[in-house]
Amino acid sequence: MKIIMLGAPGAGKGTQAKMIADKYGIPHVSTGDIFRANIKNGTELGKQAKEYMDKGLLVPDELTVKILLDRVAQDDCKNGYVLDGFPRTIPQAEVLDEALTKLGEKIDFAVNVDVPDENIVKRMSGRRACLKCGATYHIEHIPPKQEGICDTCGSELVLRDDDKPETVLNRLKVYHDQTQPLIDFYTAKGVLKTVDGTQDMKDVFNAIVAILG
Ligand code: ADP
Ligand code: AMP
């Protein structure tokens, strides 16, 4: 099963993608996590991506598409995957579509996690991320067992640089301009499913499972 998560930054794509990956036994592929790992390891790709990410801008398609196509060509993606944060532009979606068509494959579901802008800034300022294992928490809604420490790997949790309110507003604008058109793109392909992302995370997940089967 090949699934794409759509939605504004902070809508809960990553939270749901991890739960989907666990339930269906497919890898969770997050381009944001791949960039953050590269930044942490000081790679050239990380240096280039950071310049855009810190400003709330999208990393250029030329850099993003290749890392995604390389990732989904790996063995563990043979039986499907859940993409979180990719595609974010129409050209990215077109490249993915062409690559899949060549293999005789297609996206089965594009799950749009719908959360109004008003809720987003609050969610993002409460998000805490583990840069080591990629786990995410929310200081009010989904707190870790011990404040500031990752339940999964014991590392320190941080407020991502790009989750500061001024950057979040920029990311929302970029989302509306460049990513929201993907809703029409996947509607036209007959695979778009929208869920109400303002519900409790378990209810969002139940709604997604009802769609995926
Ligand atoms: P995205 O991957 O779409 O950017 P995340 O999954 O990281 O978003 O979620 C953004 C923040 O909101 C995180 O702090 C997360 O813990 C929290 N969150 C996710 N889903 C819900 C929900 N249904 N209700 C409240 N908070 C949520
Ligand atoms: P995320 O973790 O998905 O919120 O992504 C964090 C940041 O990484 C985004 O704000 C972008 O700067 C960059 N990024 C992640 N995925 C993509 C993508 N598909 N295209 C362009 N930039 C991306």
Side-chain angles (χ1 to χ4, degrees):
M1 185 154 47
K2 297 188 183 62
I3 305 163
I4 286 173
M5 303 303 292
L6 292 177
K13 300 182 297 294
T15 303
Q16 297 299 326
K18 285 180 193 120
M19 294 161 84
I20 294 169
D22 274 356
K23 180 170 168 76
Y24 295 93
I26 50 178
H28 165 215
V29 175
S30 155
T31 37
D33 282 353
I34 296 173
F35 288 137
R36 282 184 289 278
N38 275 275
I39 292 172
K40 196 158 171 253
N41 295 331
T43 69
E44 191 48 43
L45 171 67
K47 272 179 214 148
Q48 291 179 339
K50 188 172 178 0
E51 285 197 28
Y52 298 93
M53 289 169 75
D54 283 352
K55 295 185 190 125
L57 299 173
L58 295 184
V59 177
D61 290 344
E62 305 82 80
L63 294 178
T64 310
V65 163
K66 188 177 178 319
I67 60 154
L68 188 277
L69 293 182
D70 286 351
R71 177 66 189 90
V72 297
Q74 287 173 17
D75 248 16
D76 63 334
C77 289
K78 259 200 203 116
N79 296 325
Y81 40 77
V82 49
L83 297 187
D84 160 20
F86 187 98
R88 262 184 160 100
T89 64
I90 295 278
Q92 289 181 10
E94 285 171 345
V95 173
L96 176 63
D97 206 43
E98 277 162 31
L100 289 174
T101 304
K102 270 191 203 148
L103 297 169
E105 297 172 1
K106 63 175 183 52
I107 294 298
D108 299 296
F109 297 101
V111 178
N112 176 30
V113 184
D114 188 30
V115 176
D117 286 8
E118 306 84 88
N119 304 31
I120 294 287
V121 178
K122 198 161 168 255
R123 273 211 193 166
M124 306 281 265
S125 58
R127 171 157 64 181
R128 294 295 178 272
C130 175
L131 296 184
K132 183 147 182 247
C133 76
T136 27
Y137 303 85
H138 190 281
I139 49 176
E140 282 169 40
H141 309 298
I142 308 163
K145 291 193 183 87
Q146 192 186 339
E147 196 184 320
I149 304 291
C150 178
D151 292 351
T152 314
C153 74
S155 302
E156 195 186 338
L157 299 176
V158 296
L159 171 66
R160 277 167 43 180
D161 284 341
D162 59 345
D163 280 350
K164 305 203 165 121
E166 59 282 13
T167 314
V168 170
L169 291 177
N170 222 3
R171 293 172 71 194
L172 270 174
K173 184 176 181 319
V174 167
Y175 166 75
H176 289 300
D177 290 349
Q178 299 191 56
T179 308
Q180 211 172 11
L182 293 174
I183 291 179
D184 286 344
F185 182 93
Y186 288 108
T187 300
K189 293 198 174 291
V191 294
L192 189 92
K193 305 282 174 189
T194 295
V195 294
D196 174 3
T198 63
Q199 307 170 86
D200 182 86
M201 64 181 252
K202 290 199 188 71
D203 294 329
V204 180
F205 186 58
N206 289 338
I208 293 175
V209 170
I211 291 164
L212 304 182

